[in-house]
């Protein structure tokens, strides 16, 4: 399983934006190259067929443009992973989660069934398409919706009609709302709106811990779900609540009803949520024997209020983190060799890309949305901002191929991480300075570009300024700076690691009198 997610409500973020961030991690032993591209309405297929499940779906004829960070190689379909549309709706898909055996028995996953035999043969069984999944969600939903809530509604209808072959957490956001959707079995789903003053830390587990079914089936103020969810729960005896009060459906715990709780979760999942909450609520006791929550706690809250407002830098750090300042840091000096490799870190070798979707209330709709992007293993790189309402993207981020090349942002970062990993202490200062440089330049570039577009818009009395060209120019500036800084970082890391090679020898080749 892979990926880590953090959601930040608009009242919990440093500037009033909604912020959605997810590490797109490849499965164990895999490394999927990434690219950043704009999809125009004329590029959006009208007759969609999934590569993995073979499901075919006819799509509406009115898509809008959107920018995504998909896989560079087409072997597993589009896998758009995260994106923002020209309507300033963001979507991240998916956070891999797990449901329990009772759910899988009640509503099995909709898996592809290959054809058996040949047409005309006795006993021939034709192929049965599977449901929709990570490959498909963004392509099927994002270009057609105007708000995050509308995105949840469209996604829910697709899940109910076609089903899914995997358990996933999907996020939809706009300037006001963040909605988190979890699939429950093959056709069922639940969704909750993140409170504005909260963040949510989500590893690869079913995360929602409080759900109001009455609201979801009624006014839908903060909750939404499959229309038959209550009957589904009752028919299959999924409700484990120790209460006969009918009002208890206002506070069902989806983890208890639908989720898993295993010793593997305590190694792979709960420690990541624990570390994110430890960082964002540092005044609590996290480390003593009396601590309320530990790395193996099954009852860590899905969302909570941070002690200070959360910045892009906080998000970048957390998505790059590896249990710094604890005995569990694989690059640290605390603890033992065993504790330093006890838990799965957030910043891991198979991070493919980090997409941070920032939708800003103070910016006009034409340039409201910014996607902060990094490729490769997050502890060795930095996110950089790119406007999303554009028609093209910089080649340095979009030209990723299967060929390893320093002309590609993805491959350069992969090389840096592979070199620096075994020389962490010797190279960490270079990487820290790189991150500071990229983030500082990025913030300044966005500020100056916003100001330039406001000025241009104010001075254009008769004709609306074409903001897309200005945004594309800013994206290219960011890309050019990123390419120079990343190349410089590679040179520094390569030089340092070369000096520390095991076959190095310092004695002069000749004797001097």
């Amino acid at each position: 399983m892979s990926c880590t997610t953090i959601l930040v409500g608009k009242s919990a973020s440093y500037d009033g934006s909604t912020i959605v961030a997810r590490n797109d991690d490849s499965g164990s032993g895999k490394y999927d190259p990434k690219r950043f591209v704009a999809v125009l309405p004329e590029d959006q297929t009208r007759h969609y067929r999934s590569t993995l499940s073979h499901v075919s779906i006819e799509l509406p004829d009115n898509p809008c443009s959107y920018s995504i960070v998909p896989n560079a190689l087409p072997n597993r379909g589009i896998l758009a992973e995260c994106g923002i549309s020209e309507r300033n709706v963001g979507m991240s898909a998916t956070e891999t989660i797990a449901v329990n055996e009772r759910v899988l028995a009640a509503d099995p996953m909709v898996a592809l069934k290959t054809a058996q035999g040949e047409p005309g043969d006795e006993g021939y069984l034709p192929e049965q398409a599977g449901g929709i999944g990570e490959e498909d969600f963004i392509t099927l939903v994002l270009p057609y919706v105007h708000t995050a809530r509308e995105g949840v509604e469209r996604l829910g209808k697709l899940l109910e009609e076609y089903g899914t072959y995997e358990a996933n957490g999907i996020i939809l956001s706009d300037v006001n709302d963040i909605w988190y959707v979890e699939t429950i079995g093959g056709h069922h789903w639940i969704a909750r709106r993140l409170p504005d003053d909260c963040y949510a830390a989500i590893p690869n587990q079913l995360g929602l811990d409080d759900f109001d079914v009455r609201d979801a089936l009624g006014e839908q103020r903060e909750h939404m779900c499959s229309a038959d969810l209550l009957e589904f729960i009752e028919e299959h005896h999924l409700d484990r609540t120790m209460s006969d009060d009918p009002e208890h459906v206002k506070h069902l715990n989806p983890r208890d009803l639908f989720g898993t709780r295993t010793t593997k979760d305590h190694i792979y999942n709960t420690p990541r949520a624990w570390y994110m909450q430890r960082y964002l609520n540092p005044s609590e006791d996290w480390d003593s024997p009396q601590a309320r929550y530990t790395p193996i706690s099954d009852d860590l809250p899905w969302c909570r209020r941070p002690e200070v407002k959360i910045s892009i830098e906080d998000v970048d750090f957390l998505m790059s983190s590896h249990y710094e300042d604890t005995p569990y840091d694989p690059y640290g000096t605390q603890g033992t060799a065993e504790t330093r490799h006890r838990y799965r870190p957030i910043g891991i070798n198979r991070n493919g890309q980090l997409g941070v979707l920032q939708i800003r209330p103070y910016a006009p709709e034409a340039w409201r949305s910014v996607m902060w992007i990094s490729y490769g293993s997050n502890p060795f790189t930095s996110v950089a901002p790119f406007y999303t309402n554009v028609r093209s993207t910089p080649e340095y981020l979009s030209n990723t191929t299967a060929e390893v090349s320093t002309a590609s942002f993805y491959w350069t970062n992969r090389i840096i991480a592979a070199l620096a990993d075994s020389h962490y202490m010797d190279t960490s200062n270079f990487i820290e300075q790189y991150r500071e440089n990229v983030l500082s330049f990025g913030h300044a570039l966005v500020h100056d570009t916003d100001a330039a577009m406001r000025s241009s818009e104010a001075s254009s009395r008769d004709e609306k300024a074409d903001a897309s060209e200005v945004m594309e120019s800013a994206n290219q500036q960011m890309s050019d700076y990123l390419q120079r800084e990343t190349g410089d970082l590679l040179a520094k890391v390569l030089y340092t690691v070369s000096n520390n090679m095991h076959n190095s020898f310092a004695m002069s080749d000749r004797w001097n009198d």
Side-chain angles (χ1 to χ4, degrees):
M1 297 169 67
S2 54
C3 305
T4 307
T5 294
I6 185 168
L7 315 176
V8 184
K10 61 185 180 182
S11 299
S13 74
Y14 74 109
D15 68 343
S17 297
T18 56
I19 298 175
V20 168
R22 183 176 63 88
N23 283 345
D24 172 20
D25 304 339
S26 301
S28 183
K30 299 177 182 177
Y31 303 91
D32 292 318
K34 303 295 176 180
R35 61 195 187 107
F36 173 47
V37 297
V39 183
L40 305 180
E42 56 266 31
D43 299 327
Q44 177 78 354
T45 183
R46 304 310 195 262
H47 311 284
Y48 182 80
R49 187 175 190 272
S50 170
T51 299
L52 296 181
S53 70
H54 298 180
V55 65
S56 295
I57 301 174
E58 297 300 308
L59 295 177
D61 198 35
N62 60 340
C64 69
S65 62
Y66 57 106
S67 295
I68 54 175
V69 189
N71 279 13
L73 307 182
N75 56 318
R76 294 197 294 130
I78 297 173
L79 284 163
E81 296 303 340
C82 66
I84 302 179
S85 75
E86 66 174 299
R87 295 167 180 158
N88 296 304
V89 178
M91 188 171 182
S92 180
T94 68
E95 181 72 28
T96 304
I97 59 175
V99 294
N100 62 50
E101 296 85 349
R102 297 181 304 281
V103 171
L104 293 174
D107 185 9
M109 297 298 182
V110 184
L112 169 67
K113 295 181 180 179
T114 58
Q116 302 295 312
E118 297 294 333
D121 292 349
E122 183 178 354
Y124 167 71
L125 295 174
E127 176 184 274
Q128 295 183 38
I132 58 177
E134 182 169 347
E135 174 194 348
D136 319 299
F137 289 135
I138 290 177
T139 304
L140 299 179
V141 173
L142 187 58
Y144 307 104
V145 299
H146 298 79
T147 66
R149 178 184 287 270
E150 188 179 327
V152 175
E153 293 169 350
R154 176 170 173 80
L155 175 62
K157 290 177 182 177
L158 289 167
L159 287 168
E160 291 168 15
E161 180 175 357
Y162 297 98
T164 183
Y165 52 85
E166 56 189 0
N168 285 308
I170 302 126
I171 306 97
L172 286 128
S173 64
D174 56 35
V175 71
N176 291 310
D177 299 329
I178 298 174
W179 282 87
Y180 179 62
V181 183
E182 292 185 320
T183 61
I184 308 299
H187 300 84
H188 292 83
W189 58 276
I190 56 177
R192 181 177 169 187
R193 181 184 180 275
L194 178 72
D196 292 337
D197 63 346
C198 288
Y199 69 90
I202 309 169
N204 296 122
Q205 285 180 293
L206 194 144
L208 294 175
D209 58 355
D210 186 73
F211 194 81
D212 186 343
V213 179
R214 293 273 176 87
D215 179 43
L217 296 175
E219 295 184 16
Q220 299 184 343
R221 295 186 305 270
E222 308 289 335
H223 306 79
M224 301 170 71
C225 69
S226 309
D228 66 338
L229 184 68
L230 199 55
E231 291 83 1
F232 176 66
I233 292 171
E234 292 174 351
E235 179 181 353
H236 297 283
H237 311 289
L238 299 176
D239 186 359
R240 303 171 64 196
T241 309
M242 292 293 290
S243 173
D244 295 325
D245 183 351
E247 292 297 302
H248 83 273
V249 295
K250 291 183 177 180
H251 295 289
L252 289 179
N253 186 335
R255 289 185 199 168
D256 291 339
L257 274 67
F258 312 125
T260 62
R261 184 177 297 179
T262 69
T263 54
K264 289 183 179 180
D265 287 325
H266 298 162
I267 297 171
Y268 202 84
N269 296 325
T270 55
R272 285 181 277 158
W274 169 83
Y275 188 76
M276 287 189 278
Q277 295 190 15
R278 181 183 185 273
Y279 179 84
L280 294 172
N281 293 88
S283 68
E284 297 184 21
D285 176 12
W286 296 94
D287 301 306
S288 80
Q290 293 76 39
R292 170 69 179 85
Y293 298 114
T294 73
I296 64 172
S297 292
D298 291 312
D299 59 347
L300 284 157
W302 174 70
C303 71
R304 59 187 309 178
R305 193 171 186 268
E307 293 180 17
V308 298
K309 293 189 175 184
I310 299 170
S311 68
I312 295 295
E313 290 71 38
D314 292 324
V315 171
D316 189 29
F317 170 79
L318 286 171
M319 294 291 98
S320 308
S321 63
H322 39 86
Y323 306 111
E324 288 91 326
D325 299 320
T326 77
Y328 314 118
D329 183 357
Y331 300 112
T333 57
Q334 299 183 42
T336 66
E338 186 277 325
T339 63
R340 290 194 287 272
H341 293 86
R342 182 179 296 177
Y343 302 132
R344 189 264 207 212
I346 296 172
I348 199 170
N349 62 326
R350 45 195 173 81
N351 297 139
Q353 59 93 2
L354 167 59
V356 183
L357 315 182
Q358 182 184 20
I359 305 179
R360 308 172 301 156
Y362 50 84
E365 290 186 4
W367 61 87
R368 174 162 288 171
S369 298
V370 173
M371 189 186 306
W372 298 73
I373 300 171
S374 70
Y375 294 160
S377 185
N378 288 339
F380 305 95
T381 186
S382 171
V383 291
F386 293 90
Y387 290 95
T388 56
N389 191 8
V390 294
R391 296 183 60 84
S392 63
T393 56
E395 187 177 352
Y396 187 50
L397 285 87
S398 65
N399 72 345
T400 314
T401 67
E403 181 181 355
V404 178
S405 169
T406 55
S408 159
F409 184 43
Y410 173 82
W411 287 115
T412 307
N413 280 342
R414 279 284 309 279
I415 294 168
I416 289 169
L419 290 171
D421 173 74
S422 57
H423 301 272
Y424 185 82
M425 297 307 296
D426 293 325
T427 59
S428 60
N429 284 344
F430 302 138
I431 295 161
E432 182 179 350
Q433 186 63 58
Y434 170 81
R435 176 174 279 122
E436 180 180 307
N437 291 346
V438 171
L439 287 166
S440 299
F441 182 90
H443 278 296
L445 179 64
V446 169
H447 178 273
D448 293 346
T449 303
D450 281 357
M453 287 191 288
R454 282 194 180 92
S455 176
S456 176
E457 186 178 51
S459 64
S460 180
R461 302 295 183 183
D462 302 321
E463 184 177 349
K464 185 177 179 181
D466 185 3
S468 64
E469 291 185 7
V470 180
M471 289 187 285
E472 288 169 9
S473 176
N475 285 355
Q476 190 60 53
Q477 290 180 60
M478 186 70 249
S479 175
D480 292 343
Y481 180 85
L482 195 60
Q483 186 166 8
R484 290 193 301 271
E485 287 291 312
T486 308
D488 183 60
L489 176 61
L490 174 59
K492 291 175 180 176
V493 169
L494 179 60
Y495 176 80
T496 301
V497 172
S498 296
N499 287 339
N500 291 330
M501 290 175 64
H502 290 292
N503 63 352
S504 65
F505 200 81
M507 183 180 291
S508 174
D509 290 335
R510 58 182 294 179
W511 293 100
N512 295 316
D513 293 333

